[in-house]
Amino acid sequence: MIGLLFVVFLWLVLGVPAVGLFGYRLYRRAVDARGLRITDPAGIDESGYVHIGGLSQWISVRGDDRSNPVIVEIPGGPGASSHLFLTRTRTWERHFTIVRWDVRGSGRTYAAAPHRQGAMTLNQIYRDALEVVEDVRDRLGVDRVILLANSFGTNVGLRLARDHPELFHAYVGTDQHINAGGRERTAYRAMLTRLGRAGRKQELAAAVAMGPDRSAWTARDWSLFSKLVITSDSLSYDTLRSVLIRSLWFCPRLGLRGLHRNLRGIAFSEQLHPQAVAIDEWAEGTSFELPVFVFQGDGDTMTPPAPARAFLNVVTAPHKEFVLLENAGHFAVFRQPEQFLHLLRTKVRPLTIGENACL
């Protein structure tokens, strides 16, 4: 049923006639699959299940040159897979070796054993992430990697960077979450303002009724919040259509059955939301022993720039930078992958290979 509803939704938002929806999908997936090929003998394109935290978890390692710096991604969601966006970040693989990981409850990891995901806790995902990094260090023969945490993944990523600076060249957060132990309510208040200005009285009443205390929200409340944040902002809604939906539908390495399982994994992983709300980044510590970067969308309504900037302002680190990506809301990294790549190459990569290295 979820799959059928999604196909109908695609028909409406992508603007492709129903009769051509599947044919065009086949064509686009074939074209994109050719673009993903890594043919350079110095390159690497490995993917498969790795035993992590007592569970078979899907990991891919891709790049045009094994000698490039290594990026380990902690994906967002909860329950999202960065493998969906391979074509959007293909150019990154010319300059970095990218490690993408379907955490427990997401993507192929969830699809392989949907009823045997084990402990669905942020603490367990944190421990899993350490195992992934160790596996990557052994596999690629590197001492340190760049840690790139995206959206919900920043709840784990920030802790990893603070606790284990010896493993990472730098921490890069995007769509950076700041929970402040549940005190952070900037996105919620801004959503109410937008709904009020738009005259959406019924939805405004529903949002007011669920209240600002996210620790008390039900799964239905979380879904409503996400829906209202996205649909009350034109940039967010356009990103949903032009980036997320298209990536899901046209991903060359995701069949229809896999698409359905990805959506189920996202629904399954929503149980992690309350655990994230309880995180107090300020209390956990603002001292970092590695460079810290936050690259945030200038129009992000889900994780607004202001709280992330305020947190970074008090961080002590060998180096820190906060940069806004232009014409980007939430999912900034995938809406503006070339802007993001420029920042990675000019600000982060020199930390791994020396200031005078050719970029």
Side-chain angles (χ1 to χ4, degrees):
M1 186 62 176
I2 294 175
L4 177 59
L5 292 175
F6 185 68
V7 169
V8 173
F9 180 64
L10 285 167
W11 172 31
L12 294 174
V13 302
L14 295 183
V16 179
V19 68
L21 189 60
F22 289 95
Y24 183 61
R25 179 174 184 265
L26 289 173
Y27 165 75
R28 275 289 305 275
R29 292 178 74 221
V31 171
D32 289 346
R34 288 194 294 271
L36 289 177
R37 293 174 185 165
I38 293 177
T39 58
D40 195 306
I44 182 171
D45 184 5
E46 298 177 355
S47 60
Y49 287 101
V50 179
H51 193 71
I52 299 291
L55 178 69
S56 293
Q57 304 197 36
W58 185 264
I59 297 174
S60 73
V61 183
R62 288 175 47 88
D64 289 345
D65 188 339
R66 288 172 179 260
S67 67
N68 280 330
V70 178
I71 293 176
V72 174
E73 289 190 58
I74 310 293
S81 170
S82 59
H83 288 101
L84 301 175
F85 305 101
L86 279 171
T87 57
R88 300 193 70 85
T89 54
R90 175 65 181 95
T91 56
W92 294 21
E93 295 165 356
R94 299 172 188 165
H95 310 281
F96 300 91
T97 297
I98 313 294
V99 178
R100 300 175 176 91
W101 165 41
D102 286 356
V103 306
R104 60 180 66 222
S106 73
R108 290 178 181 264
T109 298
Y110 175 80
H115 303 297
R116 299 189 302 278
Q117 292 296 290
M120 284 298 293
T121 68
L122 289 179
N123 286 339
Q124 180 59 58
I125 293 174
Y126 173 98
R127 292 190 290 269
D128 290 351
L130 286 176
E131 288 192 43
V132 170
V133 172
E134 289 299 336
D135 175 77
V136 170
R137 293 172 71 209
D138 290 342
R139 187 190 311 200
L140 299 179
V142 296
D143 291 328
R144 291 185 293 171
V145 302
I146 298 165
L147 181 63
L148 171 57
N150 190 324
S151 190
F152 193 83
T154 63
N155 292 303
V156 171
L158 203 62
R159 285 175 165 175
L160 287 170
R162 185 190 293 110
D163 297 347
H164 294 281
E166 75 281 1
L167 298 177
F168 308 113
H169 292 293
Y171 170 76
V172 182
T174 183
D175 300 346
Q176 179 70 50
H177 279 234
I178 298 296
N179 301 284
R183 300 186 304 276
E184 175 45 51
R185 296 170 180 181
T186 304
Y188 175 80
R189 291 194 297 266
M191 175 192 67
L192 297 184
T193 299
R194 292 193 303 274
L195 291 173
R197 288 175 178 171
R200 296 166 61 172
K201 296 180 180 179
Q202 186 173 353
E203 291 164 313
L204 176 60
V208 169
M210 72 187 196
D213 183 3
R214 293 179 296 161
S215 65
W217 287 359
T218 64
R220 185 175 182 179
D221 291 334
W222 279 106
S223 295
L224 178 62
F225 172 72
S226 297
K227 172 187 173 183
L228 295 181
V229 167
I230 290 172
T231 61
S232 63
D233 175 70
S234 58
L235 178 60
S236 299
Y237 187 60
D238 183 68
T239 300
L240 172 71
R241 295 179 54 176
S242 63
V243 177
L244 298 185
I245 299 302
R246 286 182 177 273
S247 295
L248 269 170
W249 186 240
F250 295 121
C251 178
R253 299 190 175 184
L254 187 69
L256 289 176
R257 182 175 297 178
L259 187 154
H260 179 259
R261 287 176 176 171
N262 263 265
L263 295 175
R264 291 185 66 89
I266 291 172
F268 171 80
S269 297
E270 285 183 347
Q271 61 188 287
L272 292 169
H273 276 302
Q275 298 175 41
V277 173
I279 295 173
D280 190 333
E281 295 82 5
W282 306 81
E284 290 191 358
T286 58
S287 179
F288 291 78
E289 298 178 17
L290 78 173
V292 176
F293 298 88
V294 175
F295 302 150
Q296 206 85 343
D298 60 358
D300 192 339
T301 55
M302 188 71 71
T303 51
R309 186 194 292 271
F311 179 76
L312 194 62
N313 282 343
V314 302
V315 161
T316 58
H319 181 84
K320 65 179 183 179
E321 284 193 61
F322 183 93
V323 182
L324 289 175
L325 280 81
E326 298 178 359
N327 187 33
H330 205 62
F331 308 107
V333 62
F334 303 120
R335 183 177 178 94
Q336 299 292 357
E338 295 308 311
Q339 273 193 56
F340 206 96
L341 174 60
H342 176 73
L343 293 174
L344 289 174
R345 292 181 63 195
T346 58
K347 295 183 178 296
V348 184
R349 195 173 192 266
L351 299 175
T352 72
I353 57 176
E355 295 292 341
N356 297 320
C358 178
L359 297 176

